[in-house]
Amino acid sequence: RKILMTGATGFLGSNLISSLITSVPDENLRIFCLVRAKDEASAKERLIASLKKFKVYDGRYLKYLTAVPGDFKENNLGMSPETYDTLKREIEAVYHNGAMLNFVYPYSHLKPTNVNGTINALRFACDTRRKLFFYVSSYSVFDTPPYIGQRVYEESNITLSTDFSLAYSQSKWVSEQLVEAAKKRGLGAVIFRPGDIVGSYNGIWYMDDMISRMIVGCIQLGCIPLSHYRMQLTPVDYVADALVCISRQTKAL
């Protein structure tokens, strides 16, 4: 019933909030959303703005939501000592959805957020009270030469980590290793690997991602790349609904 979510102001995060509230019919549900902001009022304002931006805002959601100023790449998730002390005792599940998604930055630039942030989220999940941990990774963990042209499955071995074409993929691979290590030490955790997330049934799309920019660019240029590339495009609302549904199944662990 008491959930901490990172990445709540993002495209998937906003839809995750909506899916959790509509899928979990419990008046005692509380979602604590970690938001980069100077204070609680600013965090709440930013959270509401993102829900409205992606057209998933409903005024009735507010009673379930608490905006928590912080930053998961910082120690104690950037929370005040008092807030951290309270939440580490009350939170029952962590949805670690936050990450820096960039296909240009080097690994050294992504590591503080994507890797150190996962370490901090895992530490929180193990502090005082053991919490369930749901990590949103990416199918790009297979983005290495040995897997090119191969069919991979959920249980496929991802020990191969050389020659990643993207530092982002590498950062997700490292984070998965951290989550797996925590699982071996007794933490209940589930790893999700979405593909390329695109617009929802209502037509709303995050217009700064690679795929939407590529489509707009092709329209502006009046031409398309001379290449063949299979893309796994999944609507954001489907990803959110599936993630919530799976995370509520005991066998997922």
Side-chain angles (χ1 to χ4, degrees), residues 141-239:
V141 293
F142 294 107
D143 185 23
T144 58
Y147 297 112
I148 293 176
Q150 303 298 312
R151 178 170 293 186
V152 293
Y153 298 89
E154 184 175 353
E155 66 276 10
S156 293
N157 192 324
I158 63 163
T159 55
L160 302 175
S161 61
T162 56
D163 300 321
F164 274 102
S165 61
L166 297 172
Y168 169 77
S169 306
Q170 185 180 9
S171 73
K172 299 305 264 187
W173 183 91
V174 173
S175 292
E176 281 203 20
Q177 304 305 308
L178 293 166
V179 176
E180 287 293 343
K183 285 176 67 175
K184 290 176 181 177
R185 297 177 188 180
L187 182 69
V190 182
I191 294 172
F192 299 92
R193 295 179 184 141
D196 295 305
I197 298 175
V198 297
S200 65
Y201 75 95
N202 62 10
I204 302 300
W205 196 336
Y206 178 60
M207 293 304 294
D208 283 334
D209 70 5
M210 181 191 72
I211 299 171
S212 59
R213 282 180 168 182
M214 184 175 68
I215 293 172
V216 171
C218 289
I219 293 170
Q220 292 172 338
L221 288 169
C223 55
I224 61 174
L226 185 61
S227 64
H228 295 278
Y229 180 73
R230 178 177 293 178
M231 306 183 82
Q232 311 293 341
L233 309 181
T234 315
V236 66
D237 52 313
Y238 181 90
V239 175

Side-chain angles (χ1 to χ4, degrees), residues 16-76:
L16 261 178
I17 289 173
S18 176
S19 185
L20 275 166
I21 293 173
T22 55
S23 302
V24 185
D26 193 327
E27 287 299 309
N28 294 312
L29 174 70
R30 294 295 180 269
I31 307 173
F32 295 83
C33 302
L34 192 68
V35 180
R36 288 195 309 274
K38 61 182 180 180
D39 53 40
E40 189 172 332
S42 301
K44 183 177 181 181
E45 183 179 340
R46 188 175 170 215
L47 179 63
I48 292 174
S50 67
L51 292 170
K52 289 181 177 179
K53 175 182 177 181
F54 298 122
K55 307 296 183 186
V56 291
Y57 177 75
D58 187 321
R60 293 171 294 182
Y61 290 179
L62 295 182
K63 67 179 180 180
Y64 301 106
L65 300 175
T66 299
V68 179
D71 189 336
F72 58 82
K73 71 175 182 287
E74 305 292 340
N75 290 334
N76 291 343

